[in-house]
Amino acid sequence: MSKRKKITVKSISTNILVYFILILFILPFLWMILASFKTQQQILDTSNLFGFTPNFDNYISVFTKYAFMDFIVNSFLIAVASTFLGLILGLPAAYAIAKYKQNGLGLLILIARIVPGISFLIPWFIIFSRLELIDTYTALTLSHTLVTMPFIIWVMIPFFESMPGELEESARIDGCTTTGAFLRVILPISGPGMITSSILAFIFSWNNFMFSLILAGEKTKTLPIAVFNFLSYSEINWGGLMAASVIITLPVLVIALIMQRFIIAGLTGGAVKG
Amino acid sequence: MLYWIDKNVKWIYPLPAVLFVGLMMIFPIGYTFWLSFHEWSMSNITPPLWVTLDNYMSLFKDELFRESLWITFYFTVVAVGVQTVLGILLALLMNKHIIGKGLVKTLFLLPMIATPVAVGLVWVLIYEPNVGVANIFLQALGLPVQEWLASPDLVIPSLILIDVWEWTPMIALIVLAGLVSLPKDPYEAAIVDGASGLQIFWNITLPLLKPAIYSAVLLRLIDALKTFDIIYATTQGGPGTSSQTLNIYGYVLGFQYFQIGKASALLMVFFAIVLSLSILVISLRKKAGASL
């Protein structure tokens, strides 16, 4: 009761310290946004860091000169498709692992999360080349699903475990099969878990760089690759680079701000329960 | 049919996921293992040539390989060590009465969910020797300016700083969640016994937090060992080879020099390191009382 009233010197200084650390962590984002509104000349002039009139030229040129809209569409389509495929493959698996305590399979999925992606990159390149699937949505979606699916399973196992068993039992008494109960009773009330895992799966696919680096081509180039390619121009166009970085980060930031509770739960959930 | 599915749900439900992992991961790793015993340059004309252990031999004689092994461990151990300590301290701070705690937690999420390539490029600008804010900051403090990512000696510490910035919040959030769920009784008993704040932290809080801390460190160790995006986006292993981790060296060997056999041998060694480290940490966690 009296806890809320106690505003001590100590609690004030704790607050100040936490906010100071927070500002340190946010600073690179502010820097990115600031630079994206500067001209190249303003960025190179270090004597005046904050006194400038913001202009949108970098954003305009990113979309008109470099076809960024295409890359955004590519990234979005692949992230949605691989999240969807991850859900289709992952939800039944997570349910079976949670319900029948299939710890061995759980471990297999953990290994899929642990193995360095690069250890199968060469075979992927060879196989997808032979199948003439390089630079196709199919290859990129399949590769990204290897990221999204283990993640979805990992988030969903504790979610399914915490679900009361009576729900399914009463569905069975009403004449449902296990599959019927899963589809008609379990999945419809799994909304929060599915939202959490889908958002995180989407973000991880959206952020993926390594798989797209070898499997994407001109037609299917994703945003991270396009942004990275900015570096290879002879003189670095800092403003354009930062505008592109803002564009790629913005959707993720917005999702995080809206869905913060779900994201914290998803990112740290498995670990805490551990 | 439906009845049969119903009887075997236990196996049929995970089957598509297991097949997918087998086809997309296990089989390709086996393929890499097979390639590691062959000499091949990815051409269609000449088939892979069986060379027994030649690739592994040339790997262990390769100075660049030993260097990349060292860089990988240096980066991983220092980065994870620093962020674990800072993360626990940050969690202890955030466990106090913080105004707008929800928003603070959300904003701390940003470094770890932002696209790594974009994060890397922003830090390239921050570290830029002439116009970067890192040197402007040093100058304001009256300290000598640095070359940061362009200096062979400083490049790994600079990369570690990025990793610490990116991942300290995750450790903090995991430990914070652990702190919130701690039981109250041991603390009341300790206060009655007149224990000091530091004693309480060492003897009660830290042991109780062990499972959460182990989980966080496990995740971070594995991911830090595999760091690719940030390093490739900022330095591509340079200057020279001074930030070339196993991950980057494997990529360079395979996709720039097309030394498929040697690259595969390196990747198998890398795979073995990551896997054995994971097994080690998982068993440590089990000892600490975690279930998986």
Side-chain angles (χ1 to χ4, degrees), chain A residues 100-164:
Chain A
Y100 302 103
K101 303 266 168 289
Q102 306 260 59
N103 286 342
L105 287 176
L107 207 62
L108 179 80
I109 301 304
L110 180 63
I111 290 171
R113 161 90 178 73
I114 286 171
V115 167
I118 193 152
S119 55
F120 42 78
L121 223 50
I122 292 173
W124 272 13
F125 186 74
I126 296 168
I127 295 165
F128 282 116
S129 301
R130 292 277 156 83
L131 297 172
E132 296 188 355
L133 284 174
I134 299 281
D135 197 11
T136 63
Y137 289 119
T138 310
L140 282 158
T141 302
L142 284 174
S143 72
H144 283 212
T145 303
L146 199 61
V147 179
T148 60
M149 188 197 75
F151 204 83
I152 288 168
I153 293 179
W154 208 235
V155 174
M156 291 310 287
I157 289 174
F159 185 84
F160 283 138
E161 273 174 349
S162 64
M163 214 175 245

Side-chain angles (χ1 to χ4, degrees), chain B residues 11-119:
Chain B
W11 301 109
I12 292 169
Y13 274 26
L15 195 65
V18 171
L19 283 178
F20 184 78
V21 171
L23 215 62
M24 288 294 286
M25 196 182 82
I26 314 248
F27 169 70
I29 291 174
Y31 198 162
T32 306
F33 187 60
W34 184 83
L35 282 170
S36 74
F37 298 105
H38 290 79
E39 187 65 68
W40 193 40
S41 57
M42 238 189 245
S43 70
N44 281 321
I45 308 137
T46 49
L49 180 76
W50 171 262
V51 294
T52 332
L53 288 172
D54 282 9
N55 290 318
Y56 289 93
M57 302 298 257
S58 81
L59 197 62
F60 289 117
K61 277 185 218 142
D62 181 359
E63 217 170 283
L64 282 175
F65 170 70
R66 282 188 299 237
E67 192 194 357
S68 65
L69 205 60
W70 158 246
I71 293 170
T72 306
F73 279 106
Y74 171 27
F75 173 84
T76 304
V77 170
V78 178
V80 176
V82 172
Q83 61 203 230
T84 302
V85 174
L86 291 180
I88 293 171
L89 293 176
L90 184 58
L92 289 171
L93 276 178
M94 284 172 72
N95 196 33
K96 301 274 159 58
H97 189 72
I98 300 298
I99 303 156
K101 198 185 258 182
L103 185 68
V104 171
K105 274 159 84 178
T106 308
L107 292 174
F108 269 121
L109 275 180
L110 300 185
M112 60 173 132
I113 57 161
T115 311
V117 172
V119 163

Side-chain angles (χ1 to χ4, degrees), chain A residues 163 167-168 170-171 176 180-190:
Chain A
M163 214 175 245
L167 282 169
E168 208 210 319
S170 61
C176 269
F182 177 64
L183 292 176
R184 286 195 211 124
V185 180
I186 305 293
L187 283 188
I189 55 167
S190 303

Side-chain angles (χ1 to χ4, degrees), chain A residues 15 19 25 32 92 102 113-114 116 118-119 123-124 126 130 177-179 207 209 213 227 231 252 256 260 271 274, chain B residues 6 10 13 24 28 32 40 44 97 99 106 110 113 115 117 121-122 165 215 223 226 233 247 251 278 290-291:
Chain A
N15 267 287
Y19 275 91
F25 275 87
M32 168 163 78
Q102 306 260 59
R113 161 90 178 73
I114 286 171
I118 193 152
S119 55
W124 272 13
I126 296 168
R130 292 277 156 83
T177 58
T178 306
T179 305
N207 286 351
F209 178 62
L213 193 62
V227 173
L231 263 188
V252 179
Q260 52 117 340
Chain B
D6 225 51
K10 197 177 168 180
Y13 274 26
M24 288 294 286
T32 306
W40 193 40
N44 281 321
H97 189 72
I99 303 156
T106 308
L110 300 185
I113 57 161
T115 311
V117 172
L121 297 177
V122 176
W165 171 81
S215 307
D223 284 345
K226 298 189 297 184
N247 225 341
Y251 182 84
S278 313
S291 61

Side-chain angles (χ1 to χ4, degrees), chain A residues 14-243:
Chain A
T14 311
N15 267 287
I16 291 173
L17 190 57
V18 167
Y19 275 91
F20 176 73
I21 298 169
L22 181 65
I23 289 169
L24 284 183
F25 275 87
I26 298 302
L27 223 50
F29 291 108
L30 294 181
W31 211 242
M32 168 163 78
I33 295 167
L34 217 59
S36 74
F37 289 111
K38 289 180 175 181
T39 63
Q40 182 82 347
Q41 208 181 354
Q42 284 163 342
I43 292 173
L44 298 180
D45 173 23
T46 57
S47 61
N48 192 354
L49 292 179
F50 298 98
F52 69 97
T53 343
N55 73 80
F56 291 86
D57 291 357
N58 294 319
Y59 288 93
I60 294 164
S61 81
V62 158
F63 281 105
T64 52
K65 264 168 61 191
Y66 303 101
F68 251 60
M69 209 54 223
D70 295 353
F71 310 138
I72 293 175
V73 170
N74 283 343
S75 273
F76 183 79
L77 288 178
I78 291 161
V80 168
S82 62
T83 303
F84 194 65
L85 189 57
L87 284 170
I88 292 175
L89 295 170
L91 286 174
Y95 182 66
I97 292 170
K99 194 175 169 222
Y100 302 103
K101 303 266 168 289
Q102 306 260 59
N103 286 342
L105 287 176
L107 207 62
L108 179 80
I109 301 304
L110 180 63
I111 290 171
R113 161 90 178 73
I114 286 171
V115 167
I118 193 152
S119 55
F120 42 78
L121 223 50
I122 292 173
W124 272 13
F125 186 74
I126 296 168
I127 295 165
F128 282 116
S129 301
R130 292 277 156 83
L131 297 172
E132 296 188 355
L133 284 174
I134 299 281
D135 197 11
T136 63
Y137 289 119
T138 310
L140 282 158
T141 302
L142 284 174
S143 72
H144 283 212
T145 303
L146 199 61
V147 179
T148 60
M149 188 197 75
F151 204 83
I152 288 168
I153 293 179
W154 208 235
V155 174
M156 291 310 287
I157 289 174
F159 185 84
F160 283 138
E161 273 174 349
S162 64
M163 214 175 245
E166 296 96 57
L167 282 169
E168 208 210 319
E169 271 161 37
S170 61
R172 297 294 297 271
I173 290 163
D174 290 348
C176 269
T177 58
T178 306
T179 305
F182 177 64
L183 292 176
R184 286 195 211 124
V185 180
I186 305 293
L187 283 188
I189 55 167
S190 303
M194 274 154 58
I195 292 171
T196 307
S197 56
S198 306
I199 291 168
L200 286 162
F202 180 91
I203 290 175
F204 280 111
S205 167
W206 178 268
N207 286 351
N208 183 287
F209 178 62
M210 193 202 260
F211 294 168
S212 308
L213 193 62
I214 63 147
L215 295 180
E218 278 312 305
K219 286 199 302 270
T220 53
K221 197 188 275 178
T222 57
L223 260 184
I225 308 297
V227 173
F228 176 71
N229 286 348
F230 253 71
L231 263 188
S232 49
Y233 297 111
S234 52
E235 193 202 4
I236 298 177
N237 170 8
W238 288 113
L241 194 61
M242 290 304 115

